[in-house]
Amino acid sequence: MFESHRTSINVLNAWSESQEELHETQPVSPRGTRKCVKTKKKRRKQQRGEKRSVSAPQLCTEDAFPANGDPKEAKYRPDEPIVRGIFQIGKKSHDVVLTATRVTWTSIQPESPTADRDVKKQEEYVELKDVFAVKVKRRRSAGQQMGGTLLGITLFQCKRKGLKLKDHAIHLNNLSVDHCEIWFKTLKEILNGFKNRPKSLKVFVNPTSHKKEAYKIYLDEVAPLFKLADIQADVTITERKGHALSILKECSLEDYDGVVCVGGDGSVAEVAHGLLLRAQMDAGRDTDSIFTPVQAALPLGIIPAGSTDVVACSVHGKRHAVTAAMHIIMGHRQPVDMCSFSSMGRLVKFGFSAMFGFGGRMLALAERHRWMPPSQRREFALIKTLANLKPEECELSFITSRGTEEQTKAEPNRDGGDICVDDSWQTRQGLYLNVSIMAIPCLCSMAPRGLAPNTRLSNGSMALIAVGNTSRSEFIKHLKRYSSTNNQFSFSFIETHTVKAVRLRSRSQGSWADEEENEECDSKNTPIISSEGTHPWNIDGDLVEVPSELLVRVHPQLLTLFGADMEEADESPVKCSCI
């Protein structure tokens, strides 16, 4: 069938020894192989002398597949057969047809006098947009490194099951070298037309994340998939806090199609901040004044390997490393809003969320007891902060967002005045136990509906949640509702707004660290929050010292993540045992 497409012996040998191989050490049933060859010969006899219904097999050229990777815009019609042949799939022989958009196979059933010719043959297919790799399949003996018996080719498909993504292999068995070569080259040409799929990635792995399992997760679950998809990964195992940030400031980003972070929310926040800071540096933006930031040059992929992974859950809907890796491999992209945090006219950092009051105090206390195991440290900080629950006297100003697509108009202003043109600030003064500002839903296992369920990934706004002064018991009721189906904001002391800018001024005198020093004179560590007149903020799980005022602005679609917008995470509610 493919005699006109035979190539020279040298080309065939080079193709046979290529790296695009899938090794199989277990033998395939000889009976099944003979059946496939016999059926193929029978079909050739039936077609002898008849005009073929499809054009001769041909390799796809670059003109056939445009730069955007959309096969529908190619010179081939989506339903036009490009290559056709017979393969053994499972235990049966199939007539397989390749078009610009899919691979379709139909079981070959020999006719018999009693067969019902009107029965439609069962047809199966796989969309090429869901295929991320094609490999040559060989059988090798134990210890054999090269060569081996050709078995056929294997397609690797990205399959969805609920919120999870997983890889699925489709084996097309055929012993003909010529036959498999044409199919392999044609499929590779089509798959290379999907330009959104990365081929080179910069990977940062935080080896200390959660239970120090991040690097093992990457090696066992992510790296094999990257290798299967022919993705070159430049891996850096971070050695200290700020290591990834320093590399992103200096490395050549032109060599990569994306950046990947394997770790928890703190690692993700550092890499995201590094990408955006590098973008401002390349654009010559002055971050010492209020400015309009530019978008990051590369998308960011997040492999969840932390304790809560709220950013990964918000984007993928699931804490699942394989799902995150498949989103990266398939090139799925989701723009997300981010915040800029500024104080005294200078940029503090970029981030997704922030908490002041209870959230900041709890994180500061946990950081002072890093000698404890992580889970024990978190529970200790939570219980002690609840025991010493105190409100903060604040002046809270904000600008409401009137539309989901409305963007903040900014102008430089060094004196800290209004930054939004034609908008008015609303101001509240009083005692607050906690103030949360979030640009994403912040889904996690303990808050399956999200810490900020009324916001989305890219609606151009932030959720402002201000918890006023109340009793300890009422505040605990509010916290417990995050893990239930009840509305956690249906309390008289809670105020929520959809905003695009927030300014918070703390009127509390002195430093909270001084209070803690007086209460814990026997502390094993020196307090981290020790600067006079500063207050602890929890920005994406990172403790940040901020003077009396912090300005938060949302910037629509400032960063692109590998993933998809999930409305709800498929996580069962997990209640915190210490509340």
Side-chain angles (χ1 to χ4, degrees), residues 312-520:
C313 288
S314 297
V315 178
H316 305 142
K318 203 76 170 165
R319 288 181 65 194
H320 191 239
V322 172
T323 296
M326 292 306 303
H327 279 301
I328 296 171
I329 291 170
M330 300 303 294
H332 299 159
R333 306 193 181 202
Q334 171 64 44
V336 297
D337 302 336
M338 286 198 70
C339 306
S340 64
F341 301 93
S342 305
S343 180
M344 309 299 290
R346 301 187 62 179
L347 176 70
V348 175
K349 68 180 301 182
F350 292 101
F352 300 96
S353 64
M355 287 187 287
F356 176 78
F358 177 80
R361 285 172 175 261
M362 185 175 69
L363 180 60
L365 185 58
E367 288 295 315
R368 294 179 59 198
H369 294 79
R370 292 196 67 85
W371 51 272
M372 291 184 177
S375 59
Q376 182 180 348
R377 181 172 68 239
R378 287 191 299 269
E379 290 191 7
F380 168 78
L382 174 62
I383 294 173
K384 186 168 180 60
T385 308
L386 282 174
N388 297 327
L389 189 63
K390 297 178 181 179
E392 296 276 357
E393 185 178 359
C394 303
E395 179 182 288
L396 185 63
S397 303
F398 55 89
I399 300 175
T400 59
S401 178
R402 292 188 293 269
T404 58
E405 298 180 355
E406 183 181 8
Q407 298 187 6
T408 303
K409 300 178 181 179
E411 62 179 4
N413 192 332
R414 296 186 179 181
D415 60 4
D418 290 355
I419 61 166
C420 300
V421 179
D422 298 329
D423 283 312
S424 58
W425 292 87
Q426 300 183 37
T427 302
R428 306 282 192 274
Q429 293 187 7
L431 299 175
Y432 293 94
L433 291 176
N434 190 72
V435 177
S436 300
I437 306 165
M438 300 178 178
I440 61 175
C442 293
L443 302 174
C444 63
S445 59
M446 289 181 289
R449 294 184 297 114
L451 298 176
N454 296 327
T455 192
R456 295 294 179 264
L457 292 174
S458 59
N459 62 355
S461 64
M462 303 178 293
L464 171 62
I465 305 165
V467 181
N469 191 22
T470 188
S471 65
R472 183 182 294 106
S473 61
E474 288 296 301
F475 184 69
I476 292 176
K477 287 181 182 178
H478 158 64
L479 295 181
K480 281 189 171 183
R481 285 197 179 182
Y482 277 101
S483 61
S484 69
T485 57
N486 296 326
N487 183 3
Q488 62 264 41
F489 307 131
S490 60
F491 293 93
S492 59
F493 54 87
I494 296 180
E495 186 178 359
T496 61
H497 298 278
T498 301
V499 299
K500 57 183 179 178
V502 176
R503 181 190 289 116
L504 190 146
R505 292 190 179 100
S506 176
R507 297 182 176 275
S508 300
Q509 300 296 323
S511 170
W512 176 75
D514 297 333
E515 301 175 15
E516 288 296 309
E517 266 192 285
N518 295 332
E519 294 180 7
E520 293 189 13

Side-chain angles (χ1 to χ4, degrees), residues 162-175:
L163 294 175
K164 285 186 177 181
L165 300 180
K166 62 179 183 179
D167 60 298
H168 172 70
I170 303 172
H171 300 286
L172 306 179
N173 297 322
N174 190 297
L175 303 182

Side-chain angles (χ1 to χ4, degrees), residues 56-348:
Q58 51 189 303
L59 295 179
C60 305
T61 63
E62 191 167 342
D63 294 335
F65 297 93
N68 62 4
D70 187 358
K72 295 182 180 180
E73 298 183 10
K75 70 178 183 179
Y76 296 109
R77 296 191 305 271
D79 57 347
E80 178 184 359
I82 301 175
V83 184
R84 186 170 189 172
I86 296 176
F87 289 91
Q88 181 181 345
I89 303 176
K91 296 182 179 181
K92 294 183 179 180
S93 295
H94 290 74
D95 179 17
V96 186
V97 179
L98 171 65
T99 68
T101 58
R102 63 172 58 176
V103 177
T104 306
W105 57 93
T106 307
S107 176
I108 298 176
Q109 301 176 356
E111 294 184 0
S112 64
T114 59
D116 187 355
R117 299 184 180 183
D118 296 331
V119 176
K120 186 177 181 180
K121 297 180 181 179
Q122 185 177 5
E123 181 180 277
E124 298 181 73
Y125 66 90
V126 58
E127 297 286 351
L128 290 180
K129 64 181 178 61
D130 297 328
V131 175
F132 65 91
V134 55
K135 299 293 180 184
V136 177
K137 183 181 178 183
R138 296 183 182 277
R139 182 175 65 238
R140 292 177 177 172
S141 58
Q144 185 178 1
Q145 299 296 326
M146 301 294 294
T149 304
L150 176 68
L151 300 178
I153 60 176
T154 300
L155 304 180
F156 290 91
Q157 175 192 11
C158 174
K159 294 191 71 174
R160 178 180 293 277
K161 184 178 181 181
L163 294 175
K164 285 186 177 181
L165 300 180
K166 62 179 183 179
D167 60 298
H168 172 70
I170 303 172
H171 300 286
L172 306 179
N173 297 322
N174 190 297
L175 303 182
S176 170
V177 174
D178 292 352
H179 195 66
C180 293
E181 179 193 15
I182 293 174
W183 275 81
F184 174 81
K185 287 186 175 181
T186 307
L187 283 164
K188 286 291 290 184
E189 191 75 25
I190 296 175
L191 295 181
N192 288 336
F194 294 98
K195 301 301 181 183
N196 281 338
R197 299 182 182 181
K199 291 300 179 185
S200 178
L201 296 171
K202 178 62 184 176
V203 181
F204 293 100
V205 181
N206 182 358
T208 63
S209 286
H210 197 27
K211 299 178 181 179
K212 300 184 179 181
E213 298 176 347
Y215 190 49
K216 185 177 185 302
I217 289 174
Y218 175 76
L219 290 179
D220 294 347
E221 303 185 44
V222 180
L225 291 174
F226 283 175
K227 183 178 180 181
L228 198 61
D230 300 324
I231 294 177
Q232 300 295 324
D234 180 9
V235 181
T236 296
I237 301 177
T238 57
E239 300 173 356
R240 63 187 183 280
K241 184 178 180 180
H243 188 187
L245 177 61
S246 62
I247 293 177
L248 287 171
K249 287 182 178 180
E250 301 174 357
C251 71
S252 176
L253 297 181
E254 292 78 11
D255 299 334
Y256 307 109
D257 300 319
V259 177
V260 176
C261 176
V262 186
D265 291 320
S267 302
V268 173
E270 179 181 333
V271 174
H273 173 65
L275 280 171
L276 288 170
L277 197 60
R278 173 63 181 271
Q280 313 318 308
M281 294 168 56
D282 292 343
R285 296 296 174 94
D286 181 14
T287 59
D288 286 343
S289 60
I290 297 173
F291 67 106
T292 302
V294 297
Q295 293 180 332
L298 295 178
L300 172 61
I302 303 171
I303 306 297
S307 303
T308 52
D309 298 307
V310 297
V311 182
C313 288
S314 297
V315 178
H316 305 142
K318 203 76 170 165
R319 288 181 65 194
H320 191 239
V322 172
T323 296
M326 292 306 303
H327 279 301
I328 296 171
I329 291 170
M330 300 303 294
H332 299 159
R333 306 193 181 202
Q334 171 64 44
V336 297
D337 302 336
M338 286 198 70
C339 306
S340 64
F341 301 93
S342 305
S343 180
M344 309 299 290
R346 301 187 62 179
L347 176 70
V348 175

Side-chain angles (χ1 to χ4, degrees), residues 1 3 37-53:
M1 184 175 178
E3 295 297 329
V37 176
K38 183 177 179 181
T39 306
K40 181 178 179 182
K41 290 181 178 179
K42 181 178 179 180
R43 185 173 181 82
R44 283 181 174 176
K45 289 181 181 180
Q46 292 176 349
Q47 293 180 343
R48 189 173 298 164
E50 298 180 2
K51 184 177 180 180
R52 287 185 299 178
S53 60

